[in-house]
Amino acid sequence: MIAIIRLPSAEGAVRVGEILAGAGLSAVEITLTTPGALSAISELRAAVAGSCLVGAGSVRTPEQAMSAREAGAEFLVTPTVRPAVLAATELPVVCGALTPTEIETAADCGAALVKVFPASAFGPGYLRELLAPMPELRLAPTGGVTPESVAEYAAAGAVAVGVGSALVDARLVAAGAWDVLRDRAARFMSAAASAWPT
């Protein structure tokens, strides 16, 4: 599971990341649309020190990819198929795509995972249809994923999910509702453990 932190400011982003890492999440993405994201990535990477991967999201240019790497990002996430971003750095890239052609193009360009976005527009059945002729694809549906839908996406063939506002809500962060965030994280972690038992 990749937790997505997209906030109106970086204030609170590191605290959120620390809580999510403490809850057992293995990957946290801070989007570059969050003001001060690069500093937050550096600070969070130092704070969680190997217990959780810290990445940069909404990466759209090679320059952003390099800046994110220099800030300490361990992986990148793009909203669309961005071959230039994939070629700009050795970091793993989770590449956003939706149509079969985009998804296969992202995989062919070297994406570590393909973020099927927005997943909620088509649901788990869409993944099942995509994987029927292309079973080698590593898909991570993102957008509208809930604890209740994690198992359905896993059963359809997803290898991971990206989780945004259903987990990290800007209003909760602004209110400092850390217990609510911990509870949400626990629910997602329980769903993921059931969906992908080790």
Side-chain angles (χ1 to χ4, degrees), residues 87-156:
T89 175
E90 74 289 349
L91 292 177
V93 178
V94 180
C95 196
L98 182 61
T99 68
T101 299
E102 290 171 350
I103 289 167
E104 187 170 43
T105 298
D108 287 346
C109 288
L113 294 173
V114 180
K115 178 179 83 169
V116 181
F117 175 81
S120 59
F122 295 94
Y126 184 58
L127 265 68
R128 194 173 292 109
E129 296 293 337
L130 288 168
L131 290 168
M134 300 181 285
E136 75 285 357
L137 294 175
R138 293 174 46 80
L139 305 181
T142 304
V145 176
T146 65
E148 295 74 26
S149 65
V150 170
E152 297 176 49
Y153 281 115

Side-chain angles (χ1 to χ4, degrees), residues 137-185:
L137 294 175
R138 293 174 46 80
L139 305 181
T142 304
V145 176
T146 65
E148 295 74 26
S149 65
V150 170
E152 297 176 49
Y153 281 115
V159 299
V161 291
V163 182
S165 59
L167 177 58
V168 181
D169 186 309
R171 292 169 297 180
L172 293 178
V173 176
W178 308 129
D179 287 343
V180 177
L181 179 60
R182 288 186 187 93
D183 180 65
R184 287 184 175 195

